[in-house]
Amino acid sequence: MRVAVIGAGVIGLSTAQSIYEQYHSIVTPLIIEVYADCFTPLTTSDGAAGFWQPYLYDKGNIQETKWNKETFDYLLSFLSSPESVKMGVFLQSGYNLCTEPCPDPSFKDIVLGFRQLTERELQLFPGYNFGWFNTALMVEGKTYLPWLTDWLQTRGVKFYHRKIGSFKELAETGADVIVNCSGIRSRELQADPELKPGRGQIVKVDAPWLKHWICTHNFTAGTYNSPYIIPGSRLVTVGGVFQLGNWNEQSNSADHKRIWENACQLEPSLKHARIVEDWSGLRPVRSKVRLERETIQSSPTPIEVIHNYGHGGFGLTIHRGCAQEAARLFGQIVEQKGKGPKARL
Amino acid sequence: MKSVKVVVVGAGVVGLSTAVCIAEALPSCSVTVLAEKFSPDTTSDGAAGILLPTQFPDIPVERQRRWFRDSFDHLLTIAHSQHSSDAGVMQSSGVQIFKEVPAIKKPFWSEIVIGFRFMTDRELKRFPDHKFGQAFTTIKCECSSYLPWLEKRFKKARGQVQQRRVNDLLELSKSYDIIVNCSGLGSIKLVGDTEVYPVRGQVLKVEAPWLQHFIRDSDGCTYIYPGIKSVTLGGTRQECDGNLQVDKEDTKGILERCCRLESSVCKAKVLSQWVGLRPSRRNVRVEREVVQLHGQPVPVVHNYGHGGWGVTLAWGTALDALGLVRQYLDEI
């Protein structure tokens, strides 16, 4: 079978990985190809800080919470091996700050050592009077994506630098299954009014004395529209901006000024940090992740598509859970096409 | 009114902290720091600088608690200010792990560090050789930055520094009214304190910027302390060993033990190695002593013998020493 994955961000690559892991010994031959016009280090996943944390509340979307947990546990399991360094995965603790008391977040049992903030800790952050401390994971796109790419290439997955115009285009070249991991640009392949850009802008700075992430939450301003400071392995990512409907991928100075001033108020030591660069990206925002099969009527044969896009600002956080689910959906197609183990007598 | 001349012997973290406390609080005193070694050549410079106390057996716990609280609060303010990077002071979260469950699970300093709690079972899974652990946030104070920062502060308070070896108190008593002895191991010779002894420590500095948490084995011999520019791996505790040369066997041992706790350091690039001698004593000595020198009573304030807890207790014991200097001034 030939599987064509569209998109080489964290979703595309990890989905290719899951499909390979689960089916390469069941379906032979299993040819997996990744098509994208954008590869690491230029994808949306590369620009993100790489901080594992879902939105505070899943609003009843327990499926997404389950996928988040699966991702966390999966990444955590690598920590006991030196492989974690090559993956860009490591632990980091920090603060979630709110301006008023709020219910415990959806991820409280997933992360490590979750607890309420003490009075003394809150005194460090004037203006915030409630929050939590926990240990979470970092998974840095700029390291993780090359690791995934290498993992896939070693196993024979081919990469093609090409913009795909339509699902039909790939189907016509002989792809049996198309996996659509095209993120924000999925609309170019199929209309989806629910998919919108959630523009983000960040400033990357050199401040190696910072070892904790600090995420503030302002329920009026909305998710990611409140300052956050996330140290990485080399640089610190400072944000946050979340502009729904803004397609502009250029960084702008007004956003920079606001981000910077807010962050310096939150963490005064940033005043002496060296600013390295700005970056903007478009979070592929959707009311919920689109992770489902679609059989598109076409001649001569229907086109089997697995959609896996719309992960908003939590792609890295949820990627493994979604990739495994996408692989499961792939399994359904395998069964249907009679290519599964039962078919071999 | 004649200015009282105070001399502080020693320019490690204890000496400079004490000098700053005195100079800033007592403008009527002229304060001079005399030392053979200044940063980056002091014992303090090589220390990782993580604030984590021990309990001295013969000093009332309340006094030790006060020392640690004063040190912690002072450094926390700096860590959270715009001076953090200049001073080399940062917040550090991590764990202290125990191979056997300790008798005292909550030490006297547990309320002073931030967010002290026991490790969860899930967290302990990462350390199969260990049965119990404490997680908390403390401070890391890197003396290679902190000492120069303190020295600037000292000079701003009109303090003076002089680099020279002090051989005996007598020579000092001729030029100074009050002597503050922060000479660490130097006290063996300077004041004839035979209770002071070196405890040799070797550390490696490695490049592992993905490490954000400290890990310390409760035996104090194996630890991983991520810092601003590198990660300190340690260590050794060799009593009465004055060898300042890097020992290859120790290097091997440190790497093996640290690697067991955190496999990602196994292949980390070693940037440098260092050996220091902790100025150890059964109890740290923070007290007054009027020393008779050639028939003259000379007021001395002692502040030495901090062992491996110099950074941890410097500011608190410095404030204590300041109080003792004040007592002398009141008596004059």
Side-chain angles (χ1 to χ4, degrees), chain A residues 69 72-73 76 78-82 84-85 89-93 95 109-115 118 120-121 124-126 133 135-136 208-212 214 231-234 266-272, chain B residues 69 72-73 76 78-86 89-93 110-117 120 122-123 126 136-138 207 209-213 226-230 262-267:
Chain A
K69 177 172 160 56
F72 190 92
D73 290 342
L76 191 68
F78 284 94
L79 284 184
S80 50
S81 97
S84 60
V85 178
V89 174
F90 55 94
L91 289 171
Q92 187 166 212
S93 298
Y95 307 86
D109 295 323
I110 303 176
V111 295
L112 299 171
F114 179 89
R115 62 170 173 81
T118 61
R120 261 171 99 211
E121 285 169 309
L124 296 174
F125 305 107
F133 187 91
T135 302
W209 56 89
L210 295 177
K211 310 283 185 193
H212 298 85
I214 306 172
S233 63
R234 301 262 167 213
L266 188 58
E267 178 53 65
S269 73
L270 277 178
K271 272 206 190 99
H272 296 278
Chain B
R69 188 184 293 283
F72 195 91
D73 288 346
L76 181 63
I78 298 174
H80 208 68
S81 77
Q82 50 166 319
H83 303 291
S84 169
S85 56
D86 275 344
V89 180
M90 48 172 258
Q91 267 180 254
S92 181
S93 293
S110 61
E111 311 275 289
I112 301 172
V113 295
I114 297 175
F116 182 95
R117 60 174 177 84
T120 62
R122 237 174 121 214
E123 289 171 306
R126 284 171 58 209
F136 50 92
T137 301
T138 183
E207 192 178 8
W210 58 87
L211 287 182
Q212 312 295 333
H213 298 99
I228 296 176
K229 296 208 174 103
S230 62
E262 175 58 60
S263 62
S264 72
V265 303
C266 289
K267 301 253 176 72

Side-chain angles (χ1 to χ4, degrees), chain B residues 26-331:
Chain B
L26 305 173
S28 65
C29 292
S30 82
V31 189
T32 306
V33 167
L34 286 184
E36 190 179 11
K37 297 225 163 93
F38 283 78
S39 177
D41 303 315
T42 72
T43 307
S44 310
D45 283 282
I50 288 272
L51 260 67
L52 216 166
T54 184
Q55 189 163 339
F56 297 110
D58 308 312
I59 298 176
V61 176
E62 261 326 296
R63 193 176 181 206
Q64 298 188 55
R65 207 182 255 129
R66 182 169 40 86
W67 285 339
F68 184 55
R69 188 184 293 283
D70 285 343
S71 301
F72 195 91
D73 288 346
H74 161 80
L75 289 172
L76 181 63
T77 307
I78 298 174
H80 208 68
S81 77
Q82 50 166 319
H83 303 291
S84 169
S85 56
D86 275 344
V89 180
M90 48 172 258
Q91 267 180 254
S92 181
S93 293
V95 297
Q96 175 166 236
I97 50 181
F98 297 73
K99 293 205 171 82
E100 294 300 327
V101 180
I104 299 173
K105 289 182 175 178
K106 269 192 109 179
F108 77 87
W109 44 266
S110 61
E111 311 275 289
I112 301 172
V113 295
I114 297 175
F116 182 95
R117 60 174 177 84
F118 300 146
M119 284 168 76
T120 62
D121 287 337
R122 237 174 121 214
E123 289 171 306
L124 277 166
K125 272 210 182 91
R126 284 171 58 209
F127 308 106
D129 296 336
H130 296 77
K131 299 194 178 126
F132 173 80
Q134 303 154 336
F136 50 92
T137 301
T138 183
I139 309 281
K140 186 177 200 284
C141 173
E142 300 188 347
C143 286
S144 52
S145 300
Y146 185 59
L147 295 190
W149 186 82
L150 272 183
E151 203 181 310
K152 264 201 208 123
R153 205 170 136 168
F154 178 60
K155 287 177 177 162
K156 227 170 154 202
R158 292 165 319 139
Q160 305 211 309
V161 300
Q162 257 186 65
Q163 181 155 17
R164 74 171 171 88
R165 189 188 165 81
V166 175
N167 292 306
D168 55 60
L169 295 183
L170 182 63
E171 67 178 81
L172 293 181
S173 66
K174 301 195 173 119
S175 322
Y176 301 96
D177 304 309
I178 299 176
I179 301 171
V180 183
N181 170 26
C182 305
S183 58
L185 275 181
S187 292
I188 298 172
K189 288 223 173 90
L190 191 62
V191 300
D193 188 339
T194 51
E195 288 181 44
V196 178
Y197 60 96
V199 174
R200 181 182 177 279
Q202 183 169 313
V203 293
L204 280 65
K205 283 210 164 115
V206 303
E207 192 178 8
W210 58 87
L211 287 182
Q212 312 295 333
H213 298 99
F214 69 82
I215 305 171
R216 181 189 198 259
D217 190 305
S218 59
D219 66 15
C221 286
T222 304
Y223 48 82
I224 297 168
Y225 291 138
I228 296 176
K229 296 208 174 103
S230 62
V231 177
T232 300
L233 301 184
T236 65
R237 284 198 121 82
Q238 296 139 330
E239 299 200 348
C240 301
D241 184 341
N243 176 18
L244 282 168
Q245 297 306 307
V246 169
D247 182 298
K248 287 209 185 97
E249 284 305 306
D250 285 338
T251 304
K252 205 158 152 275
I254 292 167
L255 277 169
E256 271 168 19
R257 285 180 277 120
C258 287
C259 197
R260 265 183 85 84
L261 295 186
E262 175 58 60
S263 62
S264 72
V265 303
C266 289
K267 301 253 176 72
K269 178 165 159 216
V270 177
L271 300 170
S272 64
Q273 300 197 59
W274 181 84
V275 176
L277 306 177
R278 300 174 183 86
S280 308
R281 201 173 183 273
R282 184 179 156 81
N283 294 287
V284 61
R285 188 179 185 199
V286 188
E287 65 185 9
R288 299 204 303 173
E289 185 192 10
V290 177
V291 179
Q292 292 295 332
L293 294 169
H294 284 195
Q296 293 303 313
V298 178
V300 178
V301 171
H302 295 292
N303 190 6
Y304 66 87
H306 298 69
W309 300 279
V311 176
T312 296
L313 298 175
W315 194 258
T317 51
L319 286 174
D320 210 321
L322 165 64
L324 298 175
V325 170
R326 275 205 165 104
Q327 283 179 20
Y328 277 133
L329 292 181
D330 289 342
E331 288 160 12

Side-chain angles (χ1 to χ4, degrees), chain A residues 182-235:
Chain A
S182 53
I184 187 58
R185 295 177 51 211
S186 188
R187 284 164 49 151
E188 292 169 29
L189 295 166
Q190 191 184 84
D192 183 351
E194 286 187 56
L195 180 66
K196 297 176 184 140
R199 182 181 174 277
Q201 184 169 318
I202 53 173
V203 185
K204 287 231 163 162
V205 311
D206 187 20
W209 56 89
L210 295 177
K211 310 283 185 193
H212 298 85
W213 41 264
I214 306 172
C215 258
T216 66
H217 302 273
N218 182 328
F219 298 107
T220 352
T223 312
Y224 298 133
N225 253 332
S226 196
Y228 60 77
I229 298 167
I230 302 173
S233 63
R234 301 262 167 213
L235 298 176

